[in-house]
Amino acid sequence: MACLEVSKEVKFKGDTEELTLDGSVDWHGRPAIRAKSGRWVAGTIVLLNQGLATLAFFGVGVNLVLFLTRVMGQDNAEAANNVSKWTGTVYIFSLVGAFLSDSYWGRYKTCAIFQVIFVIGLVSLSLSSYLSLIRPKGCGNETIPCGKHSSLEMGMFYLSIYLIALGNGGYQPNIATFGADQFDEEHSKEGYSKVAFFSYFYLALNLGSLFSNTILGYFEDEGLWALGFWVSAGSAFAALVLFLLGTPRYRHFKPSGNPLSRFSQVLVAASRKWRAQMASNGEDLYVMDENESPTNGNRKILHTEGFKFLDRAAIISSRDLEDQKSGVYNPWRLCPITQVEEVKCILRLLPIWLCTIIYSVVFTQMASLFVEQGAAMKTTISHFRIPPASMSSFDILSVAVFIFFYRRVIDPLVGRLKKKSSKGLTELQRMGIGLVIAVMAMVSAGIVECYRLKYADPVCPHCSGTSSLTIFWQIPQYTLIGASEVFMYVGQLEFFNAQTPDGLKSFGSALCMTSISLGNYVSSLLVSIVMKISTEDHMPGWIPGNLNRGHLDRFYFLLAILTSIDLVLYIACAKWFKSIQLEGKYEENDMPGSFKV
């Protein structure tokens, strides 16, 4: 089977203009003209928007636990619990944003609305901090505690941070997909640019967080909370203005309606025809005309083998023929094959998605146990103290280096070594490599912890800086985590965007975010289980308050073992996976069985 790239052309003011091939439209709903929309002009605007919005979000999130303890007067356990709830809520709202985008609003409108909510939340937080929360003036650093707050002040604070969670959560899964929409994957050159876009998108995200983790984090640590929040609000407002300025240049895809009803229709229709006989070649399956499509003109999905039961929803029965003659169409009895294949695509994605959750458990250690481990090491150079959380800068720098290294060295090299294709590693292969590097990161962290314990004082009361091993020994584990992100998270963004139907692209991006969210929850559960088992018989446990009396190294090695098991399961799922086959699109590397180890 082969596919020829055919250009669509339209007469525009006397000239012949080439249209996009993927069904995208302009702001007015007309077919998008290639030369006057999308591509890197629109893509660059989206990248800058992402960098500024990420700076704004992490300007609040990176030190929120310190704000809760120093300004709001909460203890460590309460503050950590509130931050976990807040972070989990961000990712839950990502599903809300993806649903509204794919179903009703479209990606542009959804991004704009949730960015406005994001800005309102940041301005509200900045005002409430400046006017009422930072009292007495100058409080909120390590030495000066803030006073008590009224119920109204507490309510305004929580309203503000949850508006930020709603705004960022609803915006985040849509902006990545919206940026990818600016490149026509049916066009050879733009298709390559679309793949590259995800790498640069993840780079923009990390560069934005780098500024927050270093400069903003420093000012907030010194007690200049209002200044840090105002900078975040200004950055979010600049991101919104920049996004709106690019409006005439963007390409759009029309929303496809409620996917839940489409999924339910397939399941109900298939159940009603569970006794129906099927042709072995699938020729008796219903294909709806493009103008009648329930997916609003998105590209049709070709029939694939597997999940045969669902194919029954597309079997044309005698009753369906009678309904057709009378001009009646019942979607709860008969579904077009494209609608059936939508359900198959999501079912095939779920095992791959589940295998990414353990990786997210590893990734979340960077913001928790890595920081606690660093705090128990030597953190001073002369009279300068290195904040343990700032070591995540090495992760961000590693991401930047490995993105360019992969795109400029590894990808072209692998492409030349392949005999049948000039493409580099597939998304599935890269995600597998990310898991391998994650195992190496955990082994590295475990070895460092073994040596930290060797040079530590076991009787320290607070465990802060009581090992003579310098914190810079953590650089390898942060660097390996950064390298694994390039392969896992960038590959994951590309994979879910490529393998979800046109009407569910934002849902694909939301799957990446929910993987991180579930990774946080699984990590907390795993720590609780480990501590319950390891503290029996009055033992201090693997992760006690005083790390010098525990065995954090064993927990790291446990994560390495679990990730190795997950890698084996992932390889099995990747070999089983069958790629989506869109009408007018064929790529050899996306055929079933393309995953190779």
Side-chain angles (χ1 to χ4, degrees):
M1 177 180 176
C3 172
L4 296 177
E5 186 176 293
V6 181
S7 296
K8 295 180 181 178
E9 295 182 348
V10 64
K11 293 289 185 180
F12 184 78
K13 292 185 179 181
D15 297 321
T16 300
E17 299 284 357
E18 184 183 358
L19 301 179
T20 55
L21 302 171
D22 58 359
S24 58
V25 297
D26 62 16
W27 173 249
H28 302 286
R30 300 172 302 201
I33 298 172
R34 188 179 308 283
K36 297 183 178 181
S37 65
R39 300 190 296 184
W40 279 113
V41 175
T44 301
I45 294 174
V46 172
L47 291 176
L48 292 173
N49 169 269
Q50 169 66 10
L52 291 169
T54 303
L55 186 157
F57 177 73
F58 282 101
V60 174
V62 72
N63 273 329
L64 183 59
V65 68
L66 290 182
F67 187 85
L68 290 173
T69 54
R70 296 180 183 179
V71 178
M72 307 305 291
Q74 298 180 4
D75 58 40
N76 288 330
E78 184 184 8
N81 191 32
N82 281 326
V83 170
S84 296
K85 291 178 182 177
W86 181 77
T87 305
T89 305
V90 172
Y91 295 117
I92 290 173
F93 282 142
S94 72
L95 293 174
V96 176
F99 175 80
L100 291 172
S101 170
D102 288 336
S103 304
Y104 305 111
W105 290 352
R107 284 183 271 280
Y108 171 82
K109 185 177 180 180
T110 306
C111 286
I113 290 174
F114 280 103
Q115 281 189 86
V116 170
I117 296 173
F118 186 44
V119 171
I120 292 173
L122 285 165
V123 171
S124 174
L125 177 63
S126 303
L127 279 173
S128 60
S129 298
Y130 178 73
L131 296 177
S132 60
L133 298 180
I134 312 296
R135 289 288 180 271
K137 188 176 181 180
C139 74
N141 55 20
E142 284 188 296
T143 56
I144 306 175
C146 293
K148 293 185 177 181
H149 304 98
S150 67
S151 299
L152 177 61
E153 291 170 343
M154 295 287 286
M156 281 299 299
F157 167 74
Y158 281 110
L159 175 63
S160 299
I161 63 171
Y162 277 95
L163 280 175
I164 293 170
L166 173 61
N168 186 264
Y171 150 86
Q172 200 58 238
N174 292 293
I175 193 64
T177 309
F178 183 71
D181 288 345
Q182 308 311 310
F183 303 94
D184 182 2
E185 65 182 32
E186 301 287 351
H187 186 269
S188 56
K189 188 174 180 180
E190 287 194 28
Y192 180 81
S193 297
K194 183 172 186 172
V195 173
F197 171 81
F198 287 105
S199 295
Y200 298 131
F201 180 86
Y202 199 75
L203 176 62
L205 186 152
N206 276 270
L207 291 178
S209 63
L210 176 63
F211 183 87
S212 301
N213 287 352
T214 53
I215 299 176
L216 282 188
Y218 173 79
F219 283 117
E220 290 171 356
D221 188 59
E222 293 295 314
L224 301 174
W225 295 101
L227 174 63
F229 293 156
W230 277 118
V231 171
S232 292
S235 180
F237 181 74
L240 174 61
V241 171
L242 182 65
F243 180 80
L244 296 176
L245 288 175
T247 300
R249 185 78 193 190
Y250 296 140
R251 296 175 185 172
H252 307 265
F253 285 90
K254 297 177 182 178
S256 302
N258 190 341
L260 297 179
S261 63
R262 297 202 304 275
F263 281 28
S264 300
Q265 287 167 359
V266 171
L267 297 176
V268 171
S271 299
R272 284 180 168 180
K273 298 177 181 177
W274 67 279
R275 291 183 177 179
Q277 296 295 320
M278 295 180 56
S280 58
N281 55 10
E283 289 182 355
D284 59 341
L285 301 179
Y286 176 50
V287 179
M288 181 176 279
D289 293 336
E290 185 175 348
N291 295 331
E292 303 173 325
S293 173
T295 56
N296 209 354
N298 291 325
R299 289 170 295 177
K300 294 179 181 179
I301 309 175
L302 302 179
H303 177 252
T304 59
E305 299 298 325
F307 297 105
K308 285 288 189 181
F309 173 76
L310 297 176
D311 286 343
R312 298 179 185 279
I315 295 176
I316 304 174
S317 66
S318 57
R319 180 172 175 178
D320 296 325
L321 290 174
E322 293 176 4
D323 290 342
Q324 196 173 32
K325 289 178 182 178
S326 60
V328 178
Y329 171 70
N330 185 355
W332 295 93
R333 288 196 59 86
L334 179 64
C335 302
I337 193 61
T338 288
Q339 189 175 343
V340 174
E341 289 296 325
E342 271 193 342
V343 181
K344 288 185 182 182
C345 286
I346 300 304
L347 292 178
R348 289 187 178 118
L349 286 174
L350 289 180
I352 301 292
W353 173 72
L354 288 172
C355 289
T356 65
I357 294 174
I358 289 296
Y359 173 81
S360 295
V361 174
V362 172
F363 176 74
T364 57
Q365 304 313 311
M366 196 168 52
S368 55
L369 292 182
F370 279 17
V371 177
E372 293 186 21
Q373 181 187 35
M377 301 173 76
K378 182 182 178 182
T379 59
T380 56
I381 299 179
S382 186
H383 298 290
F384 180 75
R385 179 180 175 273
I386 302 168
S390 69
M391 292 296 291
S392 62
S393 301
F394 289 99
D395 164 78
I396 297 170
L397 292 174
S398 174
V399 167
V401 170
F402 271 91
I403 281 178
F404 283 103
F405 182 70
Y406 173 77
R407 302 238 44 106
R408 300 298 180 184
V409 179
I410 298 177
D411 203 38
L413 179 62
V414 173
R416 284 194 295 268
L417 293 176
K418 283 190 173 182
K419 296 180 180 179
K420 295 183 179 180
S421 173
S422 60
K423 289 187 66 176
L425 297 169
T426 66
E427 294 93 344
L428 288 172
Q429 289 169 336
R430 286 154 57 192
M431 291 162 68
I433 292 172
L435 285 171
V436 172
I437 300 176
V439 173
M440 296 167 59
M442 287 297 98
V443 171
S444 173
I447 293 173
V448 169
E449 179 64 13
C450 289
Y451 279 93
R452 190 199 67 77
L453 288 171
K454 183 178 179 181
Y455 296 100
D457 179 4
V459 296
C460 69
H462 300 294
C463 193
S464 179
T466 56
S467 176
S468 60
L469 194 69
T470 177
I471 194 172
F472 288 113
W473 280 103
Q474 283 192 311
I475 291 177
Q477 64 203 58
Y478 278 102
T479 303
L480 287 169
I481 290 289
S484 69
E485 287 177 64
V486 173
F487 287 96
M488 172 56 81
Y489 281 142
V490 176
Q492 197 176 344
L493 275 172
E494 293 179 26
F495 176 73
F496 285 121
N497 185 269
Q499 298 302 324
T500 47
D502 287 344
L504 293 169
K505 296 293 187 184
S506 297
F507 174 75
S509 297
L511 283 177
C512 302
M513 297 188 68
T514 51
S515 169
I516 300 174
S517 176
L518 290 174
N520 278 279
Y521 294 132
V522 173
S523 177
S524 298
L525 178 63
L526 194 60
V527 169
S528 299
I529 293 174
V530 164
M531 286 302 295
K532 182 174 179 60
I533 295 174
S534 62
T535 52
E536 292 182 353
D537 299 326
H538 305 288
M539 297 294 289
W542 287 4
I543 317 173
N546 179 356
L547 288 184
N548 292 343
R549 300 180 61 191
H551 279 286
L552 182 58
D553 53 327
R554 295 178 184 176
F555 184 75
Y556 286 147
F557 292 139
L558 173 63
L559 286 182
I561 294 171
L562 292 176
T563 308
S564 300
I565 296 171
D566 183 57
L567 175 62
V568 175
L569 296 174
Y570 171 80
I571 292 173
C573 293
K575 285 184 172 293
W576 167 82
F577 181 78
K578 292 182 180 180
S579 294
I580 186 173
Q581 297 297 314
L582 294 169
E583 186 178 60
K585 177 185 177 184
Y586 174 78
E587 295 181 16
E588 184 177 352
N589 278 354
D590 288 339
M591 292 299 290
S594 65
F595 184 87
K596 297 177 182 178
V597 183

